[in-house]
Every structure is written in structure tokens, then in C-alpha cells.
């Protein structure tokens, strides 16, 4: 040890005395050339999706690829995957030393893309509107042969250090990839010799800090049929006849205004018309022409309609007679075999649109009923907004939420709800941005739209319903609005201006800014204000007490974004200083958007930023110090989307424990991390575009995942004060130490102490917990354990008790999350 110290200090002395001299270099560097050739290219493989690559040579004959799979710059233009292409990159250097890369976006966009870099490793913002770029005659594009493959690119002579840094950057990525890819699958080898060991958690009750009391919330996005067919309790699919082939970009020939509807019986026709709609926002309606009685229009619901014996269902429809008598409508809920499970009939139709209602009582339980509407009189009628709602919705709200799903969310005890996305918030192209005003008011006047996840949004679950739900479950509403730009992954559709670069035109930005200010007025304004009155008309005169608003969703940080975001941020700040604006720093935990987003946050003093990262479990294991490195004086963090992703994307004990482990670090950093939400929240079986999710469901069942229980345990056992603790593991191995974590918080409302412990190892660890400088305690406490095999998707928390004192032992099973709630008012607890 002494010898090592001596070597280090001699090295320090030498490098201080002779900076830049060969004493300051490693022997390895000294043997290298001063310069070499660097070839920049985009590989022809994978149809040029792969970004900018480098190879080096000292004779321009023998070329060495710098990690054939490693790209140093990727194009972020257009839709995920297939549209993000880099064709013919051209690398050039300006006299100031800055590198510039220009590339062609695809075969049809006439402008070029540009990004700049000081070191060829970190690249700044991308722009896609470059009309032309300067080609240096000394560095024209040329072809070389790289391992038998001809490649076209540009050759530059650069200092060897440049190449060395590129190789080191590539090696870092390879190394990180390797450690982040660690899974429990290798544990039998990685921990082959590991025996049960001891852990000590020493809590210092004197060293404590306040932490956010909003740490655990939920992220709601209409993805995976989370809203229509999911949380929104409507049972009729395509109730407004507004499904359109464009919802699925024309890829599904069966997806149109008639989807989910069919005609039963002969001598009748069912067509769609739009001549005289109930409201211009809802142009299409059904026209049913019957020559003989008995024909009906039927709806199959979302994978059938579930009825519960004894429950009531509210049917409503807008109808008018176009031709024939003004008869009534008979309404039946029937099985596939034609059995009737509920029935009723409406009042008579008239020549004008009229809303008709009838309540139906289900006689039996049935899982796949359908709705049948049968006109009593023959003739031609028009029908629209055909709706069937269970009377029992969450908190019995009209136009409400499916009770069991809403309850599962409420059971997390989320302190906030983020809505309406995710990408749904900023939309796929300008015309798909989620505009909150389209989603309030009478249902027939709301404006449905294509959901970018490939289906249809009725907007039945709209801003009013979101606010109401938040209030019902005691959660802060956190609406996220587009920052004047759509998703950077918007489809290009062979048009110039696809992708995020097509922001809202500046001539329309003032109106858009006003729209966001109006949202705040809608939530909080007096009933005498224009938008406050609309809230009152919807049945909520009291303000919703909005405190947060997210502007932007993991956007590409471009000049165009900055311009629009700044306008919105400044306007909200000026008019509503009481509202905390949450900015955005891209979709990853590092990289250009993250850096540029944080730079903007620092420049504008944005109070909070929204970070997103979906990572492998290994990332969470190896980055527990991620926020310990954050500057406390800068913006607070809302970790708005995160989840542990394993290959195959399961939600199992392994992913859940990786999240639980990381959440101990989130609590420790609860002074800078203000809010967090796992994403996405809901997924309907058979209609899932994204895995893993927190809660899966079908029409009858709610299926919480293992990850759900982790969120629930953190949500239900949150604290607002963090007590410093030290985890000492008897095994002297980094791999072991990184897989054991603890967090101790106090809930000031109850004064309870909550200890959370994670063991992500294949062996148990006997843990000694020492509670220093907290009131003396002795008795029993609640013990909750979540454990099983890493690939277990069914693990559930088990509740028991544990004997506790200021120095007590608890066994942490292999692969487990353990929570101990020490109730200060517990009668089993003797305070010494
Ligand atoms: O959570 C699913 C998606 O992931 C969100 O819509 C988007 O913000 C992110 O890319």
C-alpha cells in the first residue's frame, strides 16, 4: 500500500512540475504517432440507419474501424427506427477547430441536417433546415475498402489524441453496455461462491434532511388502450362513428366509421353520413334504414361488453328521424347466442337531434355481451354518440372511470398524476398535438383524434375528467402540454418538415401561449373568468388548485424548440408565478438533449425539469449515485418516465427489484428529485404497444405487476424526511455491495419511521439495523416482504411483523424487497 502511495505522489509531483512533459504522459502515449488519418462514414449496412462511424489509419492503406457497431452521431429526424437515417455524412472542420457534420436525411427531403462537435464525441443540437453546405476541396468524399466492404466518406488528418479519445469513448460505451447488461441470469456464475452474509445498516437520526412529499406519482398516457376501452368507463366502441382509416395510417382496411358496429336482420341498411351532424367536431353519424321491423344496429364493445348481475347501465344516444314515423328505440344487451341480459326502450325520436336515455339492469353476469338498438318503427333514422356507461363508476362520477382500474391506481397512493402523456401530449405532427380545449365540454362537442399509438381517442376522458380524478384520489394534477412542437419522432410522410422541426408557426404562437394560460384559468380561475366559468359549468365551481404544468415531453432540443419553449415559459412565469413550470431534458439519462435541455434549464432558471430513461436493470444497479452528483442549487428533477427493461420486456421480480433498489437512491435524493413516475401505467391485454407496463388488465380483471407493488409500497409508505444511513456489507465485493441498498424515511404526519431494504442477490443476508439518535423504541413493527425468483411475474407482498428495538436484526431473503414500518403510536411499541 505504502509503495502505491509513493508512486502516486511521485507522479503528482512530476505532473505538477512538468505539465505536458513526457513525465506527464503514460508510456503508452509516448509511443504513439503525432497524427493519423481519420475516415468518417455512414455504413451502408442497415440501410444507413446506423449513424456516423470512424476508422483510422496511419498509411491510408490499412484501416481500423473504431468499433464497427459504434456510431458517434445518429440522426434524430423522423419516426423511430425506419426514418432516422444518415445518408452521405460530410465531416468538415472550421478554423476555430469545431467539427461539423452535414448529412442527407432521406431520398426526398431537400434540406440537409447539421450538428457540430468540439471533439467528435459529444455532438450539439441537430438542425434539419440546412439548404447547402461548404465542401472543402481538400476533403472531398472518397471511397476506401474497410475489411472488404467499400465505404464512402471523408478523410482528415488529425492529432493522434483525437483518435485515442474516440477509441476511449467507444471503449467506455462497450464497458458500460457490458455492466448495464448484467442480469440475474448470470448470478449463478457471478455469485457462485457467495454464501449468506451479514449487512449492517447504521441510521444516523441526527443527520436528516427534508425530502419531497410528492416523490411517488403516476404517469397516465393513453397508450395500450389505457383510456378508451380502459380507464374511461364507456362500454361502446366507436360510439361517435369517428374512427377513420387515418387512425391507423390506412394500414387496417377494417378500421373506419363502421368499426365495432354491424347490422343485424334483413331489409335494412346501415350507412355513415355527415350532412347534418350534431356538432362539427363530430361530423359522422350512422343512418339506419329499415323496411321491416326487427333489424338492429349492434355494437361489440371493446372485446365484448362485461355486465354484472344486478348492476345498472346508462344507455344514451343522439337520434333523429329522417324518414318514416318517430318511433322509440328498443335497447338490448344480448349474448352471442341472442339471449337478452338487459333491456329497455327510449322515448320517441323527433325530426331534430335529441338525446335519449334509458337505464338497463343486467340480469346476469356476462363477459361478452353486445348492444342492440332496434327502431320500433320502420323508416330511416340517424344515430350518434351511442353510449353505455356502468352506473357504478369510480366515486360514481358521471362520464367517469372504470372503478376497479381507478381504484388500483388510487391504491398506489400517488401524490400526483401526470397526463395526458408521454408522446400523446406532443403528438405525431402538428395536427396531432393534444389540445386541451378539444377535450372539455359536452361529449358530442369534443374533438376526437388519432392516437399516435395507432388507434382512436374519443376525448371522453378529457381535461375535466383528469382534474376530477386527481382531486378524487388526493393527487396533484400535473398536465403536460406540447412546447409548441410535436414529437421529434413524428412521421416525415415524405414531406419536408416532418419530425419536430415543423413547430407551430411563430405567427400562431401567441394564440398557443394564450391556450396554455387559459388552461391555468380553467383549472384555477374564478368562476367569473371565461375559463373558470366553463369549469363551473362542467360541475366544479371550486378551483382544482393546479400547481404544476409540464411544458414539453422529452423533446429534441433544437433552436426551434428553444424559441417556443422560452415564449411559453416566460408567459406562464409572468402571468402565473405561483405555477411551477416543468421543463424537459430529452428522452435519455445522458446525451445531447439531456445536456442541451439542462443548459436551457440553467439559462432560464426553470424550476424543475422532466427526465426520462428506460434502462436495463444493470443501469439502475450501477447508477445509484446518479442524483448524488446533482447540484442542489439548480433545477429540481421530475423523473417523469422510467422503468427497468430486460430483454423480452417482462415486468418481473428482477425488474421490480432493480427499480426498488434505485428508489432507495431516489428517496436519498428526495431533496433534488421532487417527483417520480414509472411509465407507462396501464396496458390492455391484446392491445399493447409498449411493455412493460405497471398494470395490465382486460375487461374483467385488473392485473397488477410486481413493479406495481414496488410503486405501491413506496407510495403508501412515503416519508418527508430522510435519515442518513450507511450500509455496510460483510462481503468485500463491488458486485455484492451494489445489490444491497437501504433507505430510511420519516413520515412527519404520523411520525412513523419507514425502513426500506433491497437485496438483489441470490443469497439471504442477515441484516442488523442500528437506529442511532432516534427515540428509544422496543416492540413489534409491520414487516412487508416482496420476494421470489427473479423471473417471477406473480410475486406479491406478504405482511408480517418483526421484533424491533434501536438495534435489531432482520433477515433479507434472496431477491427481496423488505419494508418495515415503525409506528410511533403503535401500542406494541414501548418508548423507553
Ligand atoms: O411511456 C411510453 C412513451 O415513452 C411515452 O409516450 C414517451 O414519452 C416515451 O418515449
Amino acid at each position: 500500500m505504502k509503495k502505491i502511495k509513493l508512486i502516486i505522489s511521485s507522479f503528482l509531483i512530476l505532473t505538477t512540475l512538468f505539465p505536458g512533459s513526457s513525465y506527464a504522459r503514460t508510456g503508452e502515449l509516448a509511443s504513439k504517432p503525432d497524427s493519423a488519418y481519420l475516415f468518417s462514414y455512414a455504413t451502408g449496412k442497415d440501410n444507413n440507419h446506423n449513424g456516423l462511424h470512424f476508422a483510422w489509419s496511419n498509411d491510408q492503406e490499412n484501416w481500423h474501424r473504431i468499433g464497427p457497431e459504434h456510431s458517434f452521431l445518429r440522426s434524430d429526424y423522423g419516426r423511430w427506427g425506419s426514418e432516422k437515417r444518415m445518408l452521405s455524412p460530410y465531416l468538415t472542420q472550421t478554423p476555430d477547430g469545431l467539427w461539423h457534420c452535414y448529412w442527407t436525411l432521406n431520398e426526398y427531403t431537400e434540406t440537409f441536417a447539421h450538428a457540430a462537435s468540439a471533439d467528435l464525441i459529444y455532438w450539439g443540437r441537430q438542425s434539419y433546415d440546412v439548404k447547402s453546405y461548404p465542401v472543402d476541396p481538400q476533403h472531398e468524399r472518397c471511397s476506401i475498402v474497410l475489411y472488404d466492404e467499400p465505404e464512402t466518406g471523408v478523410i482528415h488528418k488529425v492529432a493522434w489524441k483525437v483518435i485515442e479519445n474516440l477509441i476511449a469513448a467507444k471503449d467506455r460505451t462497450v464497458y458500460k453496455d457490458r455492466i448495464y447488461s448484467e442480469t440475474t441470469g448470470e448470478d449463478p456464475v457471478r455469485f457462485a461462491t457467495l454464501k449468506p452474509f451479514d449487512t449492517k445498516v447504521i441510521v444516523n437520526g441526527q443527520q436528516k434532511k427534508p425530502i419531497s412529499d410528492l416523490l411517488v406519482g403516476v404517469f397516465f398516457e393513453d397508450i395500450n388502450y389505457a383510456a378508451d376501452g380502459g380507464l374511461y368507463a364507456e362500454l361502446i366502441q366507436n360510439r361517435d362513428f369517428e374512427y377513420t382509416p387515418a387512425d391507423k395510417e390506412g394500414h387496417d382496411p377494417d378500421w373506419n366509421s363502421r368499426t365495432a358496429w354491424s347490422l343485424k336482420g334483413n331489409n335494412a341498411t346501415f350507412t355513415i353520413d355527415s350532412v347534418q351532424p350534431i356538432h362539427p367536431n363530430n361530423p359522422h353519424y350512422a343512418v339506419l334504414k329499415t323496411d321491416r321491423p326487427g333489424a338492429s344496429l349492434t355494437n361489440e364493445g371493446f372485446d365484448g361488453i362485461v355486465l354484472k348481475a344486478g348492476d345498472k347501465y346508462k344507455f344514451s344516444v343522439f337520434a333523429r328521424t329522417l324518414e318514416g314515423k318517430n318511433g322509440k328505440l328498443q335497447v338490448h344487451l344480448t349474448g352471442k347466442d341472442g339471449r337478452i341480459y338487459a333491456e329497455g326502450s327510449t322515448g320517441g325520436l323527433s325530426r331534430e337531434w335529441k338525446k335519449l336515455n334509458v337505464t338497463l339492469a343486467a340480469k346476469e353476469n356476462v363477459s361478452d355481451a353486445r348492444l342492440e338498438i332496434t327502431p320500433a318503427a320502420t323508416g330511416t333514422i340517424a344515430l350518434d354518440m351511442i353510449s353505455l356507461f356502468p352506473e357504478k363508476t369510480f366515486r360514481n362520477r358521471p362520464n367517469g372511470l372504470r372503478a376497479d382500474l381507478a381504484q388500483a391506481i388510487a391504491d398506489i397512493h400517488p401524490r400526483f398524476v401526470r397526463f395526458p402523456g408521454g408522446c400523446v401530449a406532443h403528438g405525431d405532427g402538428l395536427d396531432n398535438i393534444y389540445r386541451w380545449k378539444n377535450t372539455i365540454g359536452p361529449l358530442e362537442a369534443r374533438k376526437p383524434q388519432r392516437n399516435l399509438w395507432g388507434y382512436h381517442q374519443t376525448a371522453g376522458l378529457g381535461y375535466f375528467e383528469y382534474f376530477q380524478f386527481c382531486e378524487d384520489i388526493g393527487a396533484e394534477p400535473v398536465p403536460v402540454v406540447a412546447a409548441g412542437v410535436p414529437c421529434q419522432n413524428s412521421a416525415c410522410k415524405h414531406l419536408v418538415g416532418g419530425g419536430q422541426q415543423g413547430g407551430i408557426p411563430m405567427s400562431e404562437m401567441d394564440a398557443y401561449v394564450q391556450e396554455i394560460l387559459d388552461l391555468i384559468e380553467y383549472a384555477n380561475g374564478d368562476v367569473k373568468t371565461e375559463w373558470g366559468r366553463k369549469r363551473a359549468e362542467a360541475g366544479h365551481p371550486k378551483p382544482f388548485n393546479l400547481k404544476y404544468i409540464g411544458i414539453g415531453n422529452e423533446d429534441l432540443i433544437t433552436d426551434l424548440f428553444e424559441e417556443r419553449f422560452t415564449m411559453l415559459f416566460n408567459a406562464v412565469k409572468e402571468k402565473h408565478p405561483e405555477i411551477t413550470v416543468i421543463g424537459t431534458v430529452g428522452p435519455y439519462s445522458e446525451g445531447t438533449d439531456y445536456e442541451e435541455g439542462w443548459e436551457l434549464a440553467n439559462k432560464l432558471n426553470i424550476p424543475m425539469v422532466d427526465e426520462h430513461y428506460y434502462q436495463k436493470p444493470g443501469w439502475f444497479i450501477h447508477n445509484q449515485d446518479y442524483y448524488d452528483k446533482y447540484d442542489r442549487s439548480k433545477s429540481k428533477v421530475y423523473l417523469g418516465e422510467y422503468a427497468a427493461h430486460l430483454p423480452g420486456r417482462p415486468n418481473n421480480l428482477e425488474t421490480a427489484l432493480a427499480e426498488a433498489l434505485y428508489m432507495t437512491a431516489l428517496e436519498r435524493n428526495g431533496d433534488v428529485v421532487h417527483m417520480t413516475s414509472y411509465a407507462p401505467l396501464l396496458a390492455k391485454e391484446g392491445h399493447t404497444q409498449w411493455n412493460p407496463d405497471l398494470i395490465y388488465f382486460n375487461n374483467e380483471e385488473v392485473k397488477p405487476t410486481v413493479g406495481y407493488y414496488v410503486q405501491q409500497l413506496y407510495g403508501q409508505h412515503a416519508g418527508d424526511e430522510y435519515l442518513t444511513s450507511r450500509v455496510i456489507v460483510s462481503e468485500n465485493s463491488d458486485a455484492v455491495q451494489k445489490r444491497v441498498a437501504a433507505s430510511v424515511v420519516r413520515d412527519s404526519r404520523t411520525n412513523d419511521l419507514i425502513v426500506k431494504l433491497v437485496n438483489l442477490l441470490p443469497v439471504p443476508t442477515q441484516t442488523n439495523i442500528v437506529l442511532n439518535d432516534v427515540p428509544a423504541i422496543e416492540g413489534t413493527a409491520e414487516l412487508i416482504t416482496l420476494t421470489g425468483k427473479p423471473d417471477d411475474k406473480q410475486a406479491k407482498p406478504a405482511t408480517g411483523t418483526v421484533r424491533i428495538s434501536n438495534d435489531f436484526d432482520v433477515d433479507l431473503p434472496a431477491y427481496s424487497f423488505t419494508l418495515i414500518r415503525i409506528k410511533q403510536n403503535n401500542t406494541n411499541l414501548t418508548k423507553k
Side-chain angles (χ1 to χ4, degrees):
M1 187 56 137
K2 259 192 187 156
K3 204 173 162 194
I4 293 174
K5 273 191 187 154
L6 202 69
I7 292 170
I8 292 173
S9 48
S10 337
F11 179 78
L12 285 176
I13 292 166
L14 287 172
T15 51
T16 322
L17 289 178
F18 310 105
S21 75
S22 59
Y23 291 116
R25 304 170 119 210
T26 63
E28 208 189 322
L29 236 192
S31 64
K32 298 296 179 303
D34 286 339
S35 61
Y37 297 99
L38 184 69
F39 180 65
S40 52
Y41 66 106
T43 172
K45 279 186 211 127
D46 293 339
N47 214 6
N48 294 323
H49 296 157
N50 224 357
L52 185 69
H53 296 258
F54 292 116
W56 73 271
S57 168
N58 46 26
D59 56 9
Q60 300 200 58
E61 283 296 329
N62 294 298
W63 287 96
H64 311 278
R65 291 177 294 191
I66 305 184
E69 305 306 328
H70 190 85
S71 50
F72 287 82
L73 170 66
R74 283 173 191 269
S75 179
D76 214 343
Y77 180 90
R79 181 153 281 180
W80 285 296
S82 62
E83 285 184 352
K84 293 197 190 297
R85 304 172 65 193
M86 176 179 278
L87 305 179
S88 318
Y90 180 75
L91 189 71
T92 182
Q93 198 174 20
T94 41
D96 58 2
L98 207 59
W99 292 97
H100 300 265
C101 184
Y102 299 90
W103 65 97
T104 303
L105 293 158
N106 47 46
E107 288 80 8
Y108 40 86
T109 301
E110 282 166 11
T111 52
F112 300 96
H114 168 258
S117 170
D119 57 5
L120 297 173
I121 297 165
Y122 174 76
W123 290 86
R125 301 175 180 197
Q126 299 187 3
S127 60
Y128 308 109
D129 55 357
V130 178
K131 306 278 179 305
S132 64
Y133 57 87
V135 175
D136 174 355
Q138 293 192 348
H139 297 105
E140 286 190 356
R141 287 170 61 75
C142 60
S143 286
I144 65 160
V145 175
L146 263 184
Y147 292 87
D148 285 348
E149 293 277 346
E151 298 286 3
T152 306
V154 184
I155 299 174
H156 286 269
K157 195 167 186 189
V158 297
W160 171 253
K161 189 74 192 155
V162 172
I163 292 168
E164 194 182 61
N165 287 344
L166 289 171
I167 294 170
K170 181 267 298 173
D171 287 347
R172 264 198 309 278
T173 310
V174 171
Y175 170 74
K176 282 186 190 171
D177 267 5
R178 187 164 55 71
I179 61 169
Y180 297 167
S181 299
E182 289 171 0
T183 69
T184 58
E186 305 95 47
D187 281 0
V189 175
R190 185 181 300 115
F191 300 115
T193 56
L194 184 65
K195 298 270 173 316
F197 59 96
D198 294 334
T199 297
K200 202 178 189 75
V201 179
I202 304 173
V203 180
N204 181 346
Q206 258 180 357
Q207 220 179 329
K208 52 196 176 189
K209 61 179 175 186
I211 57 168
S212 167
D213 58 356
L214 296 182
L215 200 58
V216 177
V218 291
F219 160 99
F220 181 88
E221 173 167 26
D222 186 4
I223 182 173
N224 310 318
Y225 276 63
D228 296 295
L231 185 61
Y232 184 49
E234 175 62 81
L235 295 167
I236 303 302
Q237 188 180 181
N238 191 13
R239 68 177 177 193
D240 50 10
F241 303 95
E242 297 302 333
Y243 276 24
T244 146
D247 292 338
K248 287 186 177 279
E249 303 195 75
H251 295 314
D252 182 349
D254 296 329
W255 190 272
N256 52 47
S257 292
R258 298 167 65 98
T259 299
W261 294 99
S262 53
L263 190 61
K264 189 177 155 200
N266 299 322
N267 292 75
T269 59
F270 156 43
T271 51
I272 301 291
D273 214 338
S274 57
V275 184
Q276 205 185 330
I278 339 170
H279 193 278
N281 285 348
N282 238 306
H284 300 96
Y285 52 87
V287 174
L288 183 64
K289 185 167 185 288
T290 53
D291 294 340
R292 266 192 239 147
S296 37
L297 187 62
T298 74
N299 185 279
E300 65 190 34
F302 294 91
D303 302 333
I305 297 172
V306 171
L307 301 175
K308 291 204 182 95
D311 279 5
K312 295 200 172 125
Y313 296 85
K314 293 186 197 165
F315 171 84
S316 65
V317 60
F318 279 82
R320 63 188 279 251
T321 309
L322 300 178
E323 205 184 277
K325 286 194 190 143
N326 292 333
K328 299 176 172 187
L329 296 175
Q330 279 159 2
V331 186
H332 295 122
L333 297 173
T334 61
K336 276 192 179 142
D337 56 0
R339 269 181 71 190
I340 296 174
Y341 291 98
E343 60 192 313
S345 78
T346 67
L349 275 63
S350 67
R351 298 274 151 182
E352 296 307 320
W353 283 114
K354 188 162 86 175
K355 189 171 182 187
L356 304 167
N357 304 285
V358 59
T359 298
L360 313 172
K363 295 174 198 160
E364 283 176 48
N365 286 333
V366 52
S367 60
D368 61 350
R370 58 195 53 221
L371 171 80
E372 288 187 14
I373 304 168
T374 316
T378 56
T380 308
I381 60 169
L383 303 166
D384 202 357
M385 295 303 290
I386 303 174
S387 168
L388 184 73
F389 249 87
E391 203 175 55
K392 286 186 193 157
T393 56
F394 187 65
R395 304 279 155 90
N396 291 327
R397 298 280 174 213
N399 191 44
L401 307 182
R402 187 175 137 177
D404 55 352
L405 267 182
Q407 191 57 52
I409 299 170
D411 288 345
I412 295 173
H413 197 178
R415 301 303 200 278
F416 67 89
V417 179
R418 171 203 179 116
F419 56 87
C423 289
V424 160
H426 58 178
D428 179 18
L430 279 182
D431 58 357
N432 194 242
I433 289 179
Y434 194 100
R435 311 298 282 256
W436 74 272
K437 288 184 185 175
N438 291 340
T439 73
I440 59 159
L443 296 179
E444 64 279 12
R446 297 187 186 183
K447 201 168 179 180
Q449 73 171 8
R450 175 170 74 89
N451 180 310
L452 57 67
W453 296 107
Y455 55 100
H456 179 86
Q457 272 172 286
T458 61
L461 172 54
Y463 257 74
F464 181 83
E465 291 73 25
Y466 284 125
F467 280 130
Q468 185 64 70
F469 179 52
C470 292
E471 186 178 87
D472 285 344
I473 64 172
E476 298 290 347
V478 181
V480 175
V481 299
V485 292
C487 182
Q488 63 269 36
N489 302 307
S490 297
C492 296
K493 292 183 194 140
H494 291 233
L495 296 172
V496 178
Q500 192 223 36
Q501 52 282 7
I504 293 180
M506 287 311 281
S507 56
E508 294 169 28
M509 271 306 288
D510 282 344
Y512 184 68
V513 168
Q514 189 55 48
E515 189 176 314
I516 306 313
L517 297 176
D518 291 346
L519 170 60
I520 297 169
E521 187 174 289
Y522 181 73
N524 292 352
D526 189 273
V527 293
K528 292 194 198 93
T529 62
E530 180 187 356
W531 293 98
R533 191 176 66 246
K534 289 196 196 296
R535 184 191 67 241
E537 282 164 8
H540 203 285
K542 277 209 231 138
F544 280 119
N545 202 13
L546 177 69
K547 298 190 192 103
Y548 300 89
I549 190 163
I551 300 181
N553 173 62
E554 59 172 47
D555 298 286
L556 189 70
I557 310 293
T558 57
D559 296 349
L560 196 135
F561 166 88
E562 178 169 347
E563 194 177 17
R564 285 157 182 77
F565 177 89
T566 306
M567 275 180 85
L568 288 155
F569 175 71
N570 287 341
V572 174
K573 194 171 132 188
E574 193 190 315
K575 185 115 197 265
H576 293 285
E578 75 285 5
I579 298 284
T580 301
V581 173
I582 306 170
T584 180
V585 296
Y588 304 113
S589 49
E590 59 185 9
T592 303
D593 297 322
Y594 174 85
E595 297 294 340
E596 296 275 328
W598 265 102
E599 227 169 82
L600 184 61
N602 293 340
K603 177 168 142 191
L604 296 178
N605 263 324
I606 304 174
M608 200 181 296
V609 295
D610 180 15
E611 296 190 347
H612 293 182
Y613 40 83
Y614 298 94
Q615 298 281 10
K616 296 170 179 172
W619 185 94
F620 290 100
I621 293 169
H622 289 282
N623 281 283
Q624 292 171 64
D625 58 354
Y626 190 79
Y627 292 112
D628 296 280
K629 301 172 198 152
Y630 271 45
D631 182 339
R632 270 48 194 167
S633 67
K634 295 191 174 157
S635 312
K636 300 279 177 244
V637 172
Y638 165 31
L639 175 53
E641 292 186 29
Y642 75 100
H645 285 182
L646 271 172
R649 301 278 199 103
N651 186 326
N652 61 18
L653 188 71
E654 178 169 357
T655 56
L657 290 182
E659 288 148 12
L661 186 86
Y662 194 68
M663 288 174 88
T664 62
L666 294 175
E667 283 195 332
R668 180 172 70 245
N669 287 285
D671 52 335
V672 66
V673 181
H674 197 69
M675 303 192 283
T676 68
S677 45
Y678 178 102
L681 180 62
L682 296 180
K684 185 164 194 171
E685 287 177 337
H687 300 278
T688 300
Q689 298 89 42
W690 183 290
N691 286 300
D693 304 284
L694 208 57
I695 303 172
Y696 289 82
F697 63 93
N698 55 38
N699 283 347
E700 292 175 281
E701 281 172 286
V702 175
K703 302 179 176 180
T705 57
V706 195
Y708 169 88
Y709 292 114
V710 166
Q711 294 296 320
Q712 191 186 53
L713 288 171
Y714 271 89
Q716 291 186 353
H717 300 278
D720 49 8
E721 189 177 63
Y722 182 82
L723 279 63
T724 302
S725 55
R726 209 147 48 91
V727 179
I728 303 162
V729 170
S730 65
E731 277 294 314
N732 188 15
S733 133
D734 191 50
V736 171
Q737 288 166 3
K738 279 194 169 140
R739 285 165 172 82
V740 181
S743 163
V744 181
V745 295
R746 189 198 308 275
D747 176 357
S748 67
R749 286 164 312 142
T750 57
N751 209 21
D752 292 353
L753 268 189
I754 301 141
V755 182
K756 300 185 183 90
L757 303 151
V758 180
N759 175 17
L760 191 33
L761 288 161
V763 299
T765 172
Q766 200 196 45
T767 303
N768 173 229
I769 302 192
V770 182
L771 299 167
N772 286 330
D773 296 309
V774 305
I777 45 177
E778 187 142 1
T780 54
E782 189 184 7
L783 172 90
I784 305 174
T785 314
L786 180 64
T787 185
K789 295 231 163 63
D791 63 355
D792 191 346
K793 292 185 180 168
Q794 306 301 332
K796 289 189 176 46
T799 305
T801 54
V802 59
R803 289 290 309 167
I804 52 147
S805 65
N806 288 64
D807 184 338
F808 68 99
D809 291 341
V810 60
D811 275 341
L812 309 186
Y815 299 122
S816 65
F817 174 36
T818 302
L819 189 146
I820 302 164
R821 184 165 193 123
I822 302 173
K823 291 196 168 145
Q824 293 294 324
N825 303 327
N826 190 340
T827 44
N828 289 330
L829 209 63
T830 332
K831 285 193 192 157
K832 283 185 184 164

